[in-house]
Amino acid sequence: DTGVSQDPRHKITKRGQNVTFRCDPISEHNRLYWYRQTLGQGPEFLTYFQNEAQLEKSRLLSDRFSAERPKGSFSTLEIQRTEQGDSAMYLCASSFTSGIEQFFGPGTRLTVL
Amino acid sequence: GESVGLHLPTLSVQEGDNSIINCAYSNSASDYFIWYKQESGKGPQFIIDIRSNMDKRQGQRVTVLLNKTVKHLSLQIAATQPGDSAVYFCSQGSSYKLIFGSGTRLLVRP
């Protein structure tokens, strides 16, 4: 399967714990995006990378959130000191720089107890 | 602020009928609009896009109409099939960011 993959698919954690998610984009894609999706809502943009450079972060991305893409390939999204309000589906997508179609992964569903 | 909204949260259609999903948007500066389909437990899947300088685009069984005058976007699905059952999102984008609406659930009755 050469699509976008995410790991883990599900994560249950206790409030206050740190969690880290991984995204492997389509290998030829320069851009990688992170979105958050809550139940019944559309995905909300969090941040994106052009190769290894993080070029924009949404206001939704508080100081507890950090994303990296160290070698311009896979990316990680870490949430520190998780809160119940962080419970959501975290989606990763990738695209070509010049392409408008973003290819989404299956998401990581986070539940904070 | 920017927003993309949908008129109906749920649409129920008979298998074989045509479906029309509507969407209103507020940001006139978008370069393009994209419809995504999301099935349960999966990420959004691209259906069709339309550039802001177009008013109609057709794909396989799908047509997207863009009315910039009233800031309205619609997705028409011809001969709706059970496999079309999903949540549909319209989104608007420019350069890199997509702004999604809250979605319409399409239910296909056998």
Side-chain angles (χ1 to χ4, degrees):
Chain A
D1 188 347
T2 57
V4 178
S5 62
Q6 293 187 245
D7 183 71
R9 294 292 308 276
H10 304 274
K11 178 70 176 179
I12 299 175
T13 191
K14 293 182 178 179
R15 189 177 54 184
Q17 298 294 305
N18 299 344
V19 295
T20 300
F21 310 140
R22 177 180 170 123
C23 170
D24 287 272
I26 294 172
S27 58
E28 301 86 5
H29 288 173
N30 307 100
R31 289 189 171 175
L32 185 148
Y33 314 80
W34 285 99
Y35 290 83
R36 181 172 69 187
Q37 185 177 27
T38 54
L39 197 62
Q41 300 298 313
E44 296 173 291
F45 172 82
L46 292 178
T47 187
Y48 93 102
F49 292 83
Q50 175 72 39
N51 299 313
E52 67 276 6
Q54 187 174 17
L55 296 186
E56 174 146 342
K57 295 191 290 186
S58 162
R59 293 188 304 271
L60 295 173
L61 215 63
S62 74
D63 291 344
R64 296 184 297 105
F65 288 70
S66 62
E68 294 183 343
R69 194 183 184 198
K71 298 181 180 179
S73 56
F74 73 92
S75 175
T76 58
L77 177 67
E78 180 183 16
I79 308 175
Q80 296 182 326
R81 305 180 302 282
T82 52
E83 301 172 356
Q84 288 186 325
D86 296 331
S87 295
M89 175 78 82
Y90 290 84
L91 291 162
C92 175
S94 68
S95 76
F96 291 108
T97 301
S98 58
I100 63 173
E101 181 179 352
Q102 296 183 17
F103 295 78
F104 282 82
T108 294
R109 179 165 295 284
L110 173 67
T111 301
V112 181
L113 302 176
Chain B
E2 298 174 337
S3 68
V4 180
L6 294 170
H7 295 302
L8 295 174
T10 303
L11 177 66
S12 180
V13 299
Q14 190 75 36
E15 181 179 353
D17 287 352
N18 297 336
S19 302
I20 299 177
I21 301 172
N22 296 303
C23 176
Y25 64 92
S26 61
N27 183 4
S28 301
S30 296
D31 298 321
Y32 52 89
F33 300 83
I34 301 178
W35 281 98
Y36 278 89
K37 170 187 180 183
Q38 188 172 26
E39 297 173 289
S40 181
K42 297 183 179 180
Q45 177 185 2
F46 175 94
I47 301 174
I48 190 168
D49 67 274
I50 186 167
R51 300 280 180 174
S52 59
N53 61 355
M54 301 170 65
D55 53 22
K56 181 178 180 179
R57 189 167 188 215
Q58 289 184 294
Q60 187 175 12
R61 285 202 305 120
V62 295
T63 301
V64 57
L65 300 177
L66 174 62
N67 186 330
K68 294 182 287 295
T69 301
V70 296
K71 298 181 183 177
H72 184 267
L73 191 70
S74 69
L75 177 69
Q76 301 177 6
I77 304 174
T80 312
Q81 302 170 358
D84 296 327
S85 293
V87 177
Y88 289 79
F89 294 99
C90 65
S91 63
Q92 54 183 135
S94 54
S95 181
Y96 60 87
K97 182 188 297 186
L98 289 177
I99 299 171
F100 286 83
S102 57
T104 292
R105 180 173 298 281
L106 177 64
L107 301 175
V108 182
R109 304 189 305 272

